[in-house]
Amino acid sequence: MKVRVLVSLKPGVLDPQGRAVHHALEGLGFSGVESARIGRTIDLDVADDTTDEALTEMCEKLLANTVIENYRIEKLD
């Protein structure tokens, strides 16, 4: 089974990478971009019998820092 985990910073957490992208877009002449936030995508290929609980545990123990990040799990099959 293919699974995608989307990890993003929680609201209020400073995002220096997002700020740099925003500044660079303005420097390239792109107007109208009010802000940019950087996240990451993790694609996993797991056994078909992998439970939702196991996927959640993977995220909370390794894939996301739940103190400052949110995550969302999407099953692609």
Side-chain angles (χ1 to χ4, degrees):
M1 165 173 53
K2 295 198 182 298
V3 176
R4 179 166 289 151
V5 179
L6 303 166
V7 181
S8 60
L9 289 171
K10 289 182 177 182
V13 175
L14 295 177
D15 183 1
Q17 287 180 309
R19 182 174 250 172
V21 167
H22 178 252
H23 181 72
L25 289 171
E26 285 181 334
L28 291 171
F30 294 101
S31 61
V33 178
E34 295 180 15
S35 68
R37 302 280 286 174
I38 302 296
R40 64 185 180 282
T41 302
I42 304 160
D43 290 328
L44 302 171
D45 195 358
V46 299
D48 288 339
D49 62 349
T50 303
T51 64
D52 291 345
E53 292 79 17
L55 293 171
T56 298
E57 192 172 354
M58 290 177 200
C59 291
E60 293 185 357
K61 286 189 173 182
L62 178 68
L63 302 177
N65 177 350
T66 57
V67 173
I68 62 169
E69 295 175 323
N70 292 319
Y71 66 88
R72 185 173 75 234
I73 301 168
E74 297 178 352
K75 294 181 180 177
L76 303 178
D77 289 338

